[in-house]
Amino acid sequence: MYRTHTNGELRIEQAEQQVTLCGWVQKIRDFGGMTFVDLRDRYGITQLVFNDTQKPMVSSLGREFVVQVTGKVAERQSKNLNIATGEIEIIVSTLTVLNKSKTPPFTIEDETDGGEELRMKYRYLDLRRNPLRKNLELRHRLSMETRKYLDGLNFLEIETPYLIKSTPEGARDFVVPSRMNAGQFYALPQSPQTFKQLLMVSGFDRYYQIVRCFRDEDLRADRQPEFTQIDCEMAFIEQEDILNTFEGMVTYLFKTVKGIELTEFPRMDYATAMEKYGCDKPDIRFEMTFNYLNKETQNKEFSVFNQAEAVIGIVAEGCVSYTRKQLDELTDFVRRPQVGAKGLVYVRCNEDGTFKSSVDKFYTEADLKTWAEKCNAKAGDLILVLSGDKAATQVQMSALRLHLANELGLRNPNVYAPLWVYDFPLLEWNEESGRYHAMHHPFTSPKMEDLNLLETDPGKVRANAYDIVLNGTEIGGGSIRIHDRAVQSKMFDLLGFTKEDAQEQFGFLMNAFEYGAPPHGGIALGFDRLCALFGGQETIRDFIAFPKNNNGRDVMIDSPSLISQIQLDELNIDLKVI
Amino acid sequence: MYRTHTNGELRIEQAEQQVTLCGWVQKIRDFGGMTFVDLRDRYGITQLVFNDTQKPMVSSLGREFVVQVTGKVAERQSKNLNIATGEIEIIVSTLTVLNKSKTPPFTIEDETDGGEELRMKYRYLDLRRNPLRKNLELRHRLSMETRKYLDGLNFLEIETPYLIKSTPEGARDFVVPSRMNAGQFYALPQSPQTFKQLLMVSGFDRYYQIVRCFRDEDLRADRQPEFTQIDCEMAFIEQEDILNTFEGMVTYLFKTVKGIELTEFPRMDYATAMEKYGCDKPDIRFEMTFNYLNKETQNKEFSVFNQAEAVIGIVAEGCVSYTRKQLDELTDFVRRPQVGAKGLVYVRCNEDGTFKSSVDKFYTEADLKTWAEKCNAKAGDLILVLSGDKAATQVQMSALRLHLANELGLRNPNVYAPLWVYDFPLLEWNEESGRYHAMHHPFTSPKMEDLNLLETDPGKVRANAYDIVLNGTEIGGGSIRIHDRAVQSKMFDLLGFTKEDAQEQFGFLMNAFEYGAPPHGGIALGFDRLCALFGGQETIRDFIAFPKNNNGRDVMIDSPSLISQIQLDELNIDLKVI
């Protein structure tokens, strides 16, 4: 060992002890006679003291040098109560430079001066900063506690293969050419879905895996081509059992990792979520739910509302005094192409009981009062109204709701509001391909009571599918699976598979269903996102040790890269001439 | 929940309770008036009893049907003390068939009638068998306890990327064409080596990961293209610290997972291992070490020994009565091309104190007595002697030693003898490429005291490298790494890299060494192999849920497979016309 202690552990009780420490030079402060050096490692910072005669020793040091020092623990004259070692310092007797450092391209501080690109290139230096270190420590803690919880419930972690088979359903696969099977390819898994179902057929009954998954998608901000899932499956269970087990897990994680007791874990069906929030992953840290004002607004002179399938109002509490400019900004917001509304109607619920709206031409004060009553708006509130096609207006209003909540500070990252959303539709119509796509995936079971709709009105069929939502972000989703060959085959028909394609791609699973497949279901949680939410942050990138940029590149190791002609030849592939 | 209990948990104390169980039909025994059904799940077997009137109910059942039964727990008349639930049975009131089963292609029993190929194709059925289930349960337990041990020592599990960069040093990479970066490829990691070293540069000081690795090698028996490692790295440590930490881990695993106290964990340098066992991973469950008989055998009339660089004898204890046939078989064994010896000399140490050898023409009884004394052979033993080029003879004798030990039953899989082998050579000469290759990998540090040999006699330089060996199998290996740019650069020179190639492939690591890289080192343990050894078995395949066959194929999902022209086009690659 190069050291007797870390830089986070010495206390006043160790005074007079001889110790050896190692770490990085964080800061050098020259006070004439004395020089103080802050020595940093993963565990903390310890102050080193050098006297006048040791000047030459210290003067060779620079920021981020790695050193080993021996010395005596002493009580500090001026204590720093902000850090755990702040009552002591080390009177250094010997110092060894273990390795020098060039001047880092950005400062290794909580707030750094380095830009995104530079920090990605020198990721190994960025990871020295406290915020990133703490993120990875949090990630480790979350994975340990997840395993403890599931292990305690008799779940087995079982590793499934990474070199599997490409199937066109779902997102685009990354593929791996096989050298030993010329012209053939493995695919990297988008999830271990079929394998975990086979494990249920095998009788493992409670499976989990913290597992890497891969999707070759065009990367939007904060998407990674490889990401980590907490992947789980259970047999002989119903939806209720899954919800209980995994709200138990999230509650346990909050308690053990963050010391937070989640008191509520509400459940809401998909239809209600869309009706009240216009969104299948509502942020329920605040209310601001939708009020349908069709009855109150239509059949007056205002043709926009008269023609609208839906007129939806939300209440911005205490915002009656929003200025013209603020209201214009909200209108601009809803008119952005990403939101797509044509305009925004407002009603001020004045403190004196009167109302003032942007549609006063068409509506009386009495009319507006009925709106306010319908919306439960009180004096001092502001009502905002959108209208049009119902589905589109719901989505637009959901965007406005979140925008307003951000403005009003209603989305405190240190408040946590989990939610189950269930009874999702089984299928969604895809205009581009002219067929139904599975909303969750092709292995999700339809609700028994909707089975008769499968032939007549497939879009109306509900699935035994559920999402777990935290603060308006979907952190996981799952379903009760099909475990019957005939139903699975029917599902592939609906999704436009030929019998041959279905058999070729998923024959192994359908065959397995013929040998005593038990009822089963599961869930997968996005682990990167879960870590970010636990860290109170928005972006997942800082919770991944070595992430890729938006072009899927690792700029530190400079990957992907060219490979040799020998490699291409061995793999029996050529590059296309472009 | 479909059940109130599992099939492993009911005891006599629960008699008279109403319970609901689920599981697979293992066996149906019709005793006229009564029918007994063994119901199986992961947790055990419970006996169900059906009476005469329930015959129609039972007659619909078949092996591997999945059923749900409700009934009353009752004390059995004839108890089965071999199983945990053997004191009770269930008097069934209702039975529901949850899913039928076709007749499985092989019996789901501890000893099955299915061949390897068939069992691989129906892996989900093979995994229902107790031996395989127990293997995966053991694997889960080992991974949990590994994490507990390392977490307790402040190691952080940090995930490193799977989509990295291809580098030609080492084995062949699997590569992944990048769609977004036409003509470029990711590689799947052979190990997270460079990333874990960068984490040390970042200050994480104790890292581990149970991680998948990939090698596109021609598969020998019991090699898998994807395999799992316990991958670890520490900073501010010396070799001694690594050895202590990880022999601690192995000792902990034996204790917690198998209830075995390892009392010894010897250490042996590479030179001694080669001298005494002719092998860098000796099985030390038994002695039978090498005795060098040059002095005693040479300069007599026997030209074979006279010309030999080494004459090596081992003692087969108590084998004096080996028959002519047995000795011929041993001679045939050493003459096999895989072993490559020319012949085998034996000396019987008779019970009456006389000696009889296959070279009596050349050696007197007195001569043979000196051999026996040198070998510590006693009356009743058999001495076996090989000779020739020293290195080759050591390897041949090592093969004979293991062969004999197998014959003599000295390799009991339930006895565990761990061992560290250290001070491996840094480099080995490769005839084919006409250059030195790194014996461990290019990041391994040379021993300081051998540094002067790097220029003059590189083959003689020893490395700070060590292997952990269990029962003659290498279960892991590691080294203290280079953490100095100049030394790393020098190493790439020795390995025949141009400066440009070294910079292009490993520039990121060498650059990182310039920003305060701490001294560090680590180890990686083969997790599949560790599981197999803990399971007392030879082959790793049965400790992997979904392994590939020797052609790298998954015969269950039929992968690798063809992909579509659309996929090829998007990836900018063509198949070569063969």
Side-chain angles (χ1 to χ4, degrees), chain A residues 1 24 42 99 124 128 139-140 151 154 159 162 185-186 202 226 228 241 515 517 552 560-561 576, chain B residues 1 42 99 124 128 139-140 151 154 159 162 184-186 202 226 228 241 515-517 552 561 574 576:
Chain A
M1 286 282 183
W24 285 263
R42 176 187 141 196
N99 217 340
Y124 47 86
R128 282 188 191 163
R139 189 177 175 113
H140 167 72
D151 181 59
N154 262 323
E159 295 174 61
Y162 279 119
F185 293 75
Y186 301 99
S202 295
E226 47 178 315
T228 302
D241 304 310
Y515 288 98
S561 62
K576 249 191 226 314
Chain B
M1 288 284 184
R42 177 186 141 198
N99 217 340
Y124 46 87
R128 281 188 192 162
R139 189 177 176 113
H140 167 72
D151 182 60
N154 263 322
E159 295 173 61
Y162 280 119
Q184 300 189 3
F185 293 75
Y186 301 99
S202 296
E226 47 177 315
T228 301
D241 304 310
Y515 289 97
S561 61
D574 276 327
K576 250 191 226 311

Side-chain angles (χ1 to χ4, degrees), chain B residues 207-271:
Chain B
Y207 144 96
Y208 79 100
Q209 193 181 185
I210 301 185
V211 63
R212 202 72 53 86
C213 301
F214 305 84
R215 274 184 210 170
D216 187 10
E217 288 176 342
D218 294 319
L219 299 176
R220 285 177 276 154
D222 215 31
R223 278 276 183 104
Q224 290 283 320
E226 47 177 315
F227 55 97
T228 301
Q229 262 181 209
I230 304 173
D231 191 60
C232 305
E233 197 79 5
M234 302 172 81
F236 302 122
I237 48 75
E238 286 153 338
Q239 176 169 307
E240 183 68 15
D241 304 310
I242 304 259
L243 302 196
N244 289 336
T245 304
F246 291 93
E247 76 180 51
M249 185 175 90
V250 171
T251 303
Y252 172 84
L253 291 176
F254 268 104
K255 181 156 183 187
T256 54
V257 177
K258 290 193 72 80
I260 291 175
E261 294 273 2
L262 292 184
T263 50
E264 284 181 81
F265 216 120
R267 296 173 187 191
M268 189 183 296
D269 67 15
Y270 172 86

